[in-house]
Amino acid sequence: DAKTTQPNSMESNEEEPVHLPCNHSTISGTDYIHWYRQLPSQGPEYVIHGLTSNVNNRMASLAIAEDRKSSTLILHRATLRDAAVYYCILYYGQNFVFGPGTRLSVLP
Amino acid sequence: DTGVSQDPRHKITKRGQNVTFRCDPISEHNRLYWYRQTLGQGPEFLTYFQNEAQLEKSRLLSDRFSAERPKGSFSTLEIQRTEQGDSAMYLCASSLYRDGYTFGSGTRLTVV
């Protein structure tokens, strides 16, 4: 079973920041937090991942709570191309277990 | 490298027929995964290989399903005696050991 909890859907206006939350209260010390997104009719694509510290890359930022029981994916300026299903996944080296994710709608 | 390739992109088959899908992973990746995704759901794990060894199979992988990865390169997923419930997107991904996954675009199967 998926070990993460995410809202089913969220909306954002174009050009505004988006904060996508994920709860993972049963996370273990060896679990990495991965975020993937899936655009319509495509396979999931990597967004970002982290273990304990906040992470930044060209796509997004990942803010991890101090107790690691939750994290937030931050899209700094949402564009229409960011409309997708976003998955938060705990990964310890076996296989990814996907939940239903958060469907992000971006309004022009 | 052009990423993970899956063939065909779409497959329509009649119930009871056998189908086979192919996945070509990123060449230096040693792990290869198969997932199934139905509409509105996240991908569900089916099986994975490390090199040519099939290391884990989900209980979703019934006896009608078989996957191979000869010589640790490309992989095939075969479904025998297809049923309407097999209609789904079949996704392949590859990784280098425990690194993140790179997914292909999937094969959409429709069983009529």
Side-chain angles (χ1 to χ4, degrees):
Chain A
D1 291 340
K3 298 184 287 184
T4 62
T5 304
Q6 300 177 252
N8 290 334
S9 62
M10 292 184 64
E11 263 186 12
S12 173
N13 293 320
E14 197 176 11
E15 302 295 314
E16 291 186 354
V18 182
H19 290 230
L20 296 165
C22 180
N23 288 319
H24 29 79
S25 58
T26 60
I27 191 170
S28 74
T30 55
D31 284 337
Y32 280 79
I33 301 160
H34 281 248
W35 283 83
Y36 278 68
R37 72 179 186 181
Q38 188 172 23
L39 281 64
S41 300
Q42 295 187 25
E45 65 173 349
Y46 171 80
V47 178
I48 200 167
H49 78 282
L51 184 62
T52 56
S53 303
N54 294 344
V55 184
N56 300 298
N57 66 21
R58 63 175 179 81
M59 289 181 70
S61 295
L62 176 60
I64 301 172
E66 196 169 336
D67 63 5
R68 300 187 71 230
K69 292 186 177 181
S70 65
S71 61
T72 301
L73 178 69
I74 303 165
L75 306 178
H76 295 288
R77 290 179 63 198
T79 70
L80 297 178
R81 291 181 297 176
D82 292 322
V85 178
Y86 287 77
Y87 298 101
C88 169
I89 304 161
L90 300 184
Y91 183 53
Y92 56 94
Q94 291 293 88
N95 60 79
F96 281 173
V97 177
F98 288 83
T102 296
R103 182 173 297 279
L104 176 66
S105 301
V106 180
L107 307 177
Chain B
D1 200 322
T2 55
V4 177
S5 299
Q6 292 190 245
D7 183 71
R9 289 295 309 274
H10 303 275
K11 178 71 176 178
I12 300 174
T13 191
K14 292 184 178 180
R15 190 174 51 186
Q17 297 294 305
N18 299 343
V19 294
T20 300
F21 311 140
R22 177 181 171 120
C23 172
D24 287 273
I26 292 174
S27 56
E28 61 265 29
H29 285 182
N30 62 338
R31 287 190 176 184
L32 186 149
Y33 309 82
W34 285 99
Y35 281 78
R36 181 176 72 183
Q37 186 174 28
T38 54
L39 202 60
Q41 304 297 315
E44 297 173 293
F45 170 75
L46 292 178
T47 187
Y48 92 93
F49 295 82
Q50 182 162 302
N51 301 313
E52 66 273 11
Q54 189 172 17
L55 295 188
E56 188 173 348
K57 293 195 292 186
S58 162
R59 63 181 185 276
L60 294 175
L61 212 66
S62 75
D63 291 344
R64 297 184 298 105
F65 288 69
S66 63
E68 294 183 343
R69 192 183 182 198
K71 302 179 183 177
S73 55
F74 70 92
S75 176
T76 58
L77 178 67
E78 180 183 17
I79 309 174
Q80 296 182 327
R81 305 181 303 281
T82 52
E83 303 172 354
Q84 287 189 323
D86 296 330
S87 295
M89 174 77 83
Y90 290 84
L91 293 161
C92 176
S94 68
S95 73
L96 182 62
Y97 291 108
R98 297 182 177 185
D99 289 351
Y101 294 11
T102 301
F103 281 86
S105 297
T107 294
R108 181 166 297 283
L109 173 67
T110 303
V111 181
V112 297

